[in-house]
Structure formats: structure tokens, C-alpha cells
């Protein structure tokens, strides 16, 4: 059995949904289909999800909502018309939206969640209706029937019983059309997943039914070895391990949200990133393990917006508990960190700058200075992290030398280097302004002859 | 005022103590002299401290101690004879040892401490007597008069009031001869410092009297830029900052115990490492800061005996508190660590292998696996750390590239790289068997033309 997920652009219009039907039909193993809400049909289009947020906001402000609501219905109606479906489905959708708008507004976040989820939920109903109309027996299944998520206030995730609840879908005769992006708490409250939410739903379904493959249909042919916005015509990645994919999850690799990999990663279901608009392209396969070919590096990613907390103290490395206490101070501010390179008497904590405010920066600096008796404490901003990833880097003598040499040729100074004993990734910290130049230099070093 | 410290080989014999007298006499600023116990006179000699340990052991076993005690007295007698002192001082020493042996044995560690300290204590009395005998007015001062240390069970360190207590020594007319290696708790219990103990005493005295200089006399001309046992004829270091010295404190730089630098570091007293046997050599100066000359690297040190705890977990870097909890587990085992290089989903904790036992390794692995739900946990042994240090490395583009290239030419794989934002050190983790080869290669890279 194959679980397929179709992203927003893949289900944005009647034409796109026809492509989806053809894809599903062409392989009888494709029995479970997770769908997003209709996305953009062109660059300046508005996603249904954003239309729904407008609706939710209007409702929360007790404004007239009929117009906002009708815009959403019209969008679905255009799709239904294009698919030659009668308007029954549109009535269902309009009624559903009216019901949701009347819902409990005591918790604004949950209210917005319930409105936003209408995009996926109704699109799944519509697509199931369409499949049936063209002779593909299909059934809409609601997340209410098993996709149990945790309660507030933690970010949403599927509870272990969700997998058991959804497992029986593996014996389905019809094609299951399942809305992405949300689940229900045990108390029946709708909660949406974070970004990449439909990817997560597909991944949960694939894990629950122990699918042979999880196909993730989007609008690109594959994952590239470097960000195509920075590197000209980068090499396509045919196969990549979960772990490589995860290490590359900085900018330029956002085609598949890393958190969404978790459920399939846990039980080893391979993933295939494919293009709805070019389904014959092999795409990129994400697998538990792979044989390493000649090229040691699989991909290079880069991201800006990092800050460094630098702490030095004489004889730091003799002090049992110093590092732990430092991290505790960050934890108290609910700050997660990326790396902690250290000398004998100093340690730098690298973290995302978006977690730092003027207030918590001051608190952190003062606590480190006073509670840890540090000799020197500084917070610096404006760093980028460049990550070179490849299973083939393990035991590859000289690779760090090549990377550092390529960077030094750009004239940039390496502010931080980090290579752990996993050896599938090598991280360089540099000043933000050098990021693109370094990414290009490293790509040139490791992929220059890749197409020869 | 200059505080001088003379190490074990500098006070091992009458001839050596005559050199000490000449050194002290040659500069009237040398007013405070901290001394070790007599060390080895030749390669197969036994240090007085080791003779005293034998004595302490015999006393603890209630064996006949007279012979062991007489060996110690004889050693001092030979020195006294060589210095043409009468035997009064030897009677004082013999009586002192008999007193100590009769001391409280209820805490064996403290009993051994009190016997061991007799080496420094009596040597200071003897040297003060000798100085007086040759017309250098001198006075033995006991650590009882001010060098207050903390109570058990923590390792010994000087309490803040020790500095205030010892400060009046700055107005001394006579030369003060002060035994190294030990102090007394407020309750009057003798406790010794760890390795390098006489260096610490000298450093405490230099800080207490705010000396212009702390001269540390030993048996080498200087600190070398690399371990002379591994690298042929390494460059001498003329000047080095505290911080560089500290970062180099791995093997091959043990000429000055790093903990001993702390008191002078805190108030910025410069240190001069000098050779008792060649006092005209300029030695190595350790200073708060220095102007960087042409060469970016000041020294390269290496040490073996490291282990790596490798932990991987999917989405680790999203989990606020993961690193802190991991370090807490090590702290619970009282294990200190050196570095924690990390990828996005894995972290390696590098620590000294001598802290790991079969029992705590098993406990650590099981706690990390169960409490942190790690996907993979492994402990690996047999690593060396190579540290390249230099204030001139800051903003030195291409230095990491040169280092990594030099290492890769040896054929060794780099298991770990760590460079924090202090940028005065760059650490490479390698398999132990490559350590010497890499040290030689790096020395060649950064110092090859140093003498040209």
C-alpha cells in the first residue's frame, strides 16, 4: 500500500485535481490520499487557508462574515464546476463553514484552528466526491475517526493511540481521502499541526498502515543538493537518508518539513518526493540507509539569523556542571540552541536569533555573569550556519580540509567549526554577509564535476 | 617585589640550593621564595615526597618506621652537610617527623597529607637557615601564618582571606622562605594542594603581595611550542598569554600547572618561567595580553586518553533542555567534559577516559537511552585531542584550512573539529594512534620556517 500526500498547489484547481486523480488511478497501490487545502493557482493568488484566516478574524471581531465566507465557497465552487460536480458539495461546504463560524470563540487560537482546518477538510470531501464521480470508489475519512492529538498548550502532535486507531485503514477497499493539517484531542477539540501540517498527516497515515512507500507530491521534481536560489542549476538528489535530509533542514531544503519525517522515520517507511506536474520524474527518495556512491557530499544548506552567546571563565573545563548550568539558564528562557563549540576555558552557544529579545538577552548576560562567575560574557548576532552533509563524509579523509580551503578562498573568516563524531555533517559558522558566496564556493568544490 | 618559586629539582641538593641562593641574591627585588621538597638529583633518584609517602604508609600499617624516617633525615643531612650547615637543623627535622608520625590517623588522607608536607616544610626551614648562614637575612614563614584553605571533602584551594592574611609579607625586610604545597584549614588541619602544589603556593603569594613578577624556576629554559618528545627541537615561546597557556595545558606543556596560574591571572601578575640551571636565559613570560607577531600559532599541544559519548535523536535540536539533561546525567556521575560537538540531531560529549568505569559507562548509556529516549547511544574510547593555540589565530582566514589539510596529508581521519568564537584555539579529535604523526605535521605546517 502507498500513502500519497498532495500539497496545496497540487490541489489548487480542477486541472490540478484531475492530475491527482490520474496519478492515484495509475497505481492501484495508492489507496490512501492525504490532501492540503487548495493553494495558489498562480503567483499572486491567495491560498484558501489565508482566505479562511480572514474569515476567522472577521468572525472574532464580530464583523459581517458573509462576504468572506462566500469567497471561500466560491473558490470551492470554481473547482467543483471545473470537475463537473454538481453543487451539492458546495452546499455541504457552505453549511460546514457556517457551523464553524458559530463555534466557541473563548479560546481564539482554537477557534482560528477550527476555521483554518476547513480548507483541508472540505477539499478532502470534494476530492472524494470527484473520485467517485469518475468511477474511482473513494471515501472521505475525518481525522475525528482516529487522529487523536495532545491537549493544549504544547504544540500539536499525534498521540501514540492515533497510529493504532488508523491502522485498520490498511484493509480499505476504496481509496481513502483524508484531510491533512489537523487532528482532534480526546475531548474532541480540533487542533492544527505546525507548518508542513499536511506532510505530517500523510506521514502519520503511512506509519499507521505501515505503507510500503509514502509519496509526497508537491510542485518540484526533486530535492536539490543546494538552494537553487543561490546556486545555479544544482544537482538533483536521487536518494538521501532520513538523517541527511534532517541535517540539511536549514533553508533551501524546505520542500519537506523535517518534523513530518518523524512518524515514517520511526518505522522506516521510505519517502518519495514527487512532482504532481511531472509524475514520471523519479523524484527524490528518502530512505533509512543507502549505499554511498562516489560523491561524499549529498547536499549543502545554509541559514542566516543565528546569534552566539560567548562565555569564558578560567578553568571552566575543571568545573563539573558549568555547561549544564549555562544551558539551564537558556532553558529557563525557553531558548533552544544549535551548537556549543568550546575551547578549554570558553564555550559559545549558537542559537536562532529570533528567540532573543532585548529583555531576555539582558537577563541571560546578567545571570551568566553573576551566577556562573564568568570572566567574560557576550552576545553577538548576525551569523549564518553552513552545513555540509553526506553519509559518504564518514571516514572521508581530507574533506574538512577541502571545505575550509574553499571557504578561505572567499576571504571570509570561519567563526565557528563543528564536526561531531557522527561525521555525516560539518557545520561552519560565518558572518551572515558571506553566506551566499560561501555556499557557492562549497558547491563548486564538492559538485563542480558532478554532471561530467 | 618579585616572588620566586623553586621546584623540586632546583632544591634537590646542596649544589642546587647554592644556585638558588645566587639567583635570589642577584636581584634584591626577590624577597619571597616558595620552595618545593627536594626532588630527584638524577634520573633514578627518589623524591623526598615519595620517601615521605613510604614513611606514612609504614606508620599507617603500624610497622616499624624508624628506618624510613632516617632515610628522610639522611637526605636532608646530606644537603645540610653540602651547605656546611651544622646538624641543629637536622635535629629539628628529625623531631618534626617524629611529631608528625605520632599524629591523628583517623583520616588516612589527612595523615598522609601531613607527612608529605614535611618535605616542603623542612626544606624551607633548611634553606632559610642556609641563607642566614651566608649572610642573606632570611626568615622561614609557615603556611600556618595565613595560608587558610577550605575544609574537606572538596579539593584544596586557598580561601579569599588567605590573600589578606599574606599581604603584609610585602613589607618584609628579610627574604621570606615559604614552603610550597600546603595550607591549613581554619581548624588548623594541614591539607596539601593537588599536583603542581608549590606552583600554586608561589602564585598565591605573588597575588597576595601584588608582586611585579612571579618567577617560576624549574629545570627547563622555557616553554616550547610543541612537545619536544614528539617534535624535534621545537621553537621556544618567549611570550604567551595566560589564555594561550591555559588552552595549551594538555600534555607537553606540563611545565606549569594550569590551576596554579589562577591567583596571578586574577590580578594580572606576569609570570616568568625560568631555569635554575641557566638563569641568564630569558625564559618564557606569561602575560595578560601581548602584541601578536607574524606567526598566528603560538603552540600546539596534544593529549590522549579521551572518550566520546555519542547520542543521536531525531529532532534533538527542537527539544529545549535535551543538552542540559544529557550533561546532568554526566554531572550525576561527577564527570567533567571537554567539548560537545553536535549536528542537528546528534551530540558527542568528549571527556577524559580516566573518569569512565565499566559501571558508570553502563549507567550513563542506560539513562541516556531511557530517560532521553535517544535513538542511538554509544561510548567510544581511544581518542586524542590536538589543540592549536594562538592569539594571532583570531580573524586569520585560512588557518583552519591549513590545519585540516596538514592533518589530511597524514592519512588520518578527523573525528571531531571544534572551534568556538574565541578563535584562539582550534581542536581536532583523532584516533590516538595518529596523535604524534599529526602533531609533527601541524608543527611542520605552522612552524617550519620559524627559525629562518
Amino acid at each position: 500500500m502507498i500513502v500519497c500526500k498532495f500539497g496545496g498547489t497540487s490541489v489548487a484547481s480542477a486541472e490540478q485535481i484531475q492530475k491527482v486523480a490520474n496519478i492515484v488511478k495509475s497505481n492501484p497501490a495508492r489507496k490512501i490520499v492525504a490532501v492540503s487545502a487548495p493553494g495558489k493557482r498562480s503567483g499572486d493568488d491567495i491560498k484558501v487557508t489565508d482566505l479562511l484566516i480572514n474569515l476567522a478574524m472577521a468572525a472574532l471581531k464580530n464583523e459581517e462574515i458573509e462576504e468572506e465566507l462566500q469567497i471561500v465557497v466560491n473558490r470551492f465552487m470554481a473547482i467543483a464546476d471545473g470537475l463537473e460536480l454538481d453543487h451539492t458539495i458546495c452546499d455541504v461546504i457552505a453549511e460546514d463553514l457556517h457551523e464553524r463560524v458559530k463555534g466557541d470563540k473563548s479560546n481564539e487560537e482554537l477557534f482560528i484552528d477550527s476555521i483554518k482546518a476547513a480548507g483541508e477538510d472540505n477539499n478532502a470531501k470534494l476530492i472524494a466526491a470527484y473520485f467517485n464521480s469518475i468511477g474511482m470508489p473513494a471515501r472521505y475519512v475525518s481525522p475525528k475517526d482516529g487522529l487523536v492529538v495532545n491537549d493544549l498548550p504544547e504544540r500539536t502532535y499525534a498521540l501514540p493511540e492515533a497510529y493504532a486507531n488508523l491502522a485498520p485503514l490498511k484493509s480499505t477497499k476504496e481509496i481513502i481521502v483524508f484531510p491533512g493539517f489537523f487532528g482532534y484531542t480526546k475531548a474532541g477539540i480540533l487542533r492544527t499541526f505546525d507548518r508542513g501540517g499536511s506532510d505530517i498527516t500523510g506521514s502519520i497515515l503511512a506509519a499507521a498502515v505501515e505503507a510500503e512507500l509514502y509519496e509526497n507530491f508537491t510542485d518540484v521534481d526533486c530535492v536539490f543538493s543546494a538552494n537553487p536560489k543561490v546556486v545555479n542549476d544544482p544537482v538533483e538528489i536521487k536518494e538521501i537518508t532520513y538523517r541527511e535530509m534532517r541535517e540539511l533542514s536549514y533553508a533551501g531544503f524546505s520542500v519537506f518539513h523535517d518534523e513530518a519525517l518523524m512518524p515514517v522515520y520511526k518505522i522506516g517507511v521510505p519517502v518519495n518526493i514527487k512532482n504532481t506536474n511531472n509524475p514520471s520524474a523519479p523524484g527524490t527518495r528518502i530512505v533509512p540507509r543507502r549505499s554511498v556512491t562516489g560523491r561524499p557530499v549529498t547536499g549543502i544548506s545554509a541559514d542566516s539569523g543565528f546569534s552566539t552567546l560567548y562565555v569564558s571563565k578560567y578553568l571552566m573545563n575543571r568545573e563539573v556542571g558549568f555547561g549544564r548550568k549555562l544551558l539551564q539558564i537558556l532553558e529557563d528562557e525557553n531558548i533552544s540552541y544549535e551548537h556549543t563549540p568550546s575551547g578549554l576555558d570558553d564555550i559559545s552557544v549558537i542559537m536562532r536569533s529570533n528567540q532573543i529579545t532585548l529583555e531576555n538577552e539582558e537577563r541571560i548576560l546578567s545571570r551568566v555573569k553573576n551566577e556562573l562567575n564568568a570572566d567574560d560574557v557576550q552576545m553577538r548576532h548576525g551569523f549564518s550556519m553552513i552545513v555540509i552533509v553526506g553519509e559518504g563524509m564518514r571516514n572521508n579523509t581530507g574533506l574538512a580540509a577541502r571545505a575550509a580551503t574553499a571557504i578561505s578562498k572567499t576571504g571570509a573568516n570561519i567563526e565557528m567549526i563543528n564536526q561531531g563524531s557522527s561525521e555525516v555533517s560539518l557545520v561552519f559558522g560565518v558572518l551572515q554577509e558571506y553566506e551566499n558566496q560561501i555556499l557557492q564556493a562549497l558547491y563548486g568544490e564538492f559538485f563542480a564535476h558532478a554532471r561530467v
Side-chain angles (χ1 to χ4, degrees), chain A:
Chain A
M1 173 177 278
I2 295 172
V3 172
C4 312
K5 175 258 168 181
F6 291 90
T9 58
S10 302
V11 291
S13 66
E15 294 67 33
Q16 289 299 89
I17 292 173
Q18 282 161 345
K19 289 182 194 168
V20 168
N22 286 330
I23 290 168
V24 173
K25 197 162 53 181
S26 69
N27 186 344
R30 291 179 176 134
K31 280 297 203 189
I32 299 182
V33 179
V35 297
S36 294
K40 292 184 182 188
R41 290 158 296 189
S42 60
D44 55 358
D45 199 9
I46 304 174
K47 294 177 182 183
V48 165
T49 306
D50 291 331
L51 299 175
L52 288 164
I53 291 172
N54 295 344
L55 172 61
M57 290 306 171
L60 281 175
K61 289 184 215 147
N62 286 314
E63 291 171 3
E64 177 52 57
I65 51 97
E66 217 42 58
E67 191 184 338
E68 309 284 1
L69 194 148
Q70 203 52 51
I71 294 172
V72 178
V73 174
N74 288 347
R75 182 70 185 274
F76 280 108
M77 203 177 288
I79 295 174
D81 286 345
L83 295 172
E84 297 175 1
L85 291 175
D86 65 37
H87 283 190
T88 323
I89 186 69
C90 302
D91 299 340
V92 169
I93 293 172
E95 197 186 316
D96 173 77
L97 290 174
H98 278 108
E99 272 310 306
R100 288 178 196 255
V101 167
K102 279 186 243 154
D104 179 8
K105 297 185 187 63
S106 59
N107 181 317
E108 295 200 353
E109 185 190 333
L110 289 177
F111 176 75
I112 297 169
D113 271 7
S114 83
I115 303 287
K116 277 198 297 188
E120 279 75 8
D121 205 23
N122 288 303
N123 210 23
K125 293 177 203 159
L126 187 154
I127 290 170
Y130 172 61
F131 283 3
N132 280 309
S133 78
I134 58 168
M136 290 166 65
R139 176 161 62 96
Y140 156 82
V141 172
S142 167
K144 239 176 211 150
D145 297 333
L147 212 175
V148 204
V149 300
N150 60 321
D151 288 310
L152 282 173
E154 272 183 300
R155 53 214 304 268
T156 320
Y157 57 85
L159 295 178
E161 53 259 54
Y163 297 88
N165 294 342
L166 296 167
L169 293 180
K170 97 176 86 177
S171 54
T172 183
K173 294 276 181 285
E174 307 121 312
I175 295 161
I176 303 294
V177 185
F178 199 102
F181 192 39
F182 67 98
Y184 289 87
T185 67
K186 284 183 186 165
I189 294 166
L190 184 154
R191 292 191 69 194
T192 63
F193 295 115
D194 265 2
R195 277 181 317 137
S198 292
D199 286 339
I200 294 188
T201 303
S203 184
I204 292 166
L205 289 166
V209 303
E210 292 172 341
E212 65 190 272
L213 181 64
Y214 171 32
E215 288 179 329
N216 196 286
F217 281 89
T218 173
D219 53 6
V220 293
D221 271 0
C222 61
V223 179
F224 291 103
S225 52
N227 189 346
K229 287 179 191 152
V230 180
V231 169
N232 189 29
D233 194 16
V235 170
E236 297 174 357
I237 298 176
K238 302 257 181 277
E239 196 173 56
I240 186 171
T241 62
Y242 293 126
R243 177 172 169 146
E244 288 175 312
M245 189 70 191
R246 172 70 187 124
E247 294 284 333
L248 283 169
S249 68
Y250 285 157
F253 288 84
S254 50
V255 62
F256 195 75
H257 197 253
D258 51 6
E259 207 156 324
L261 267 177
M262 178 74 105
V264 284
Y265 163 81
K266 283 208 169 159
I267 65 160
V269 177
V271 179
N272 199 350
I273 308 281
K274 287 179 76 80
N275 189 351
T276 303
N277 305 315
N278 184 18
S280 63
T284 297
R285 283 176 68 90
I286 312 175
V287 294
R289 62 198 66 77
R290 66 182 183 87
S291 53
V292 174
T293 56
R295 198 187 307 135
V297 174
T298 301
I300 309 172
S301 73
D303 222 350
S304 57
F306 290 93
S307 297
T308 296
L309 174 66
Y310 168 79
V311 182
S312 77
K313 182 177 184 184
Y314 195 73
L315 293 183
M316 180 190 288
N317 82 331
R318 295 286 177 83
E319 209 174 309
V320 172
F322 189 92
R324 195 263 310 155
K325 288 175 203 152
L326 177 63
L327 298 181
Q328 181 69 61
I329 290 173
L330 295 174
E331 191 175 336
D332 291 347
E333 298 287 348
N334 204 30
I335 288 172
S336 67
Y337 69 91
E338 307 282 314
H339 305 287
T340 55
S342 60
L344 260 72
D345 279 351
D346 61 72
I347 182 166
S348 300
V349 185
I350 319 276
M351 52 212 149
R352 296 260 180 201
S353 308
N354 61 9
Q355 304 177 97
I356 315 292
T357 62
L358 284 178
E359 290 73 34
N360 68 18
E361 174 168 337
E362 199 181 304
R363 275 196 302 272
I364 291 165
L365 293 178
S366 129
R367 287 189 62 188
V368 173
K369 189 90 190 160
N370 298 324
E371 294 173 25
L372 302 184
N373 291 307
D375 296 333
D376 190 14
V377 194
Q378 286 169 42
M379 186 85 86
R380 292 166 67 204
H381 307 288
F383 294 99
S384 284
M385 295 291 135
I386 316 256
V387 192
I388 305 175
V389 176
E391 298 277 352
M393 289 166 63
R394 220 187 292 261
N395 300 316
N396 193 296
T397 302
L399 196 130
R402 285 172 66 191
T405 304
I407 294 175
S408 74
K409 281 182 189 156
T410 67
N413 187 41
I414 298 171
E415 309 279 330
M416 195 276 299
I417 310 179
N418 198 305
Q419 181 201 297
S421 52
S422 83
E423 293 180 62
V424 305
S425 73
L426 181 56
V427 186
F428 292 94
V430 296
L431 290 177
Q432 226 154 262
E433 56 260 41
Y434 290 104
E435 179 186 315
N436 287 355
Q437 213 181 330
I438 290 173
L439 185 53
Q440 287 153 3
L442 289 172
Y443 184 84
E445 174 64 31
F446 294 109
F447 290 91
H449 307 294
R451 288 177 197 283
V452 178

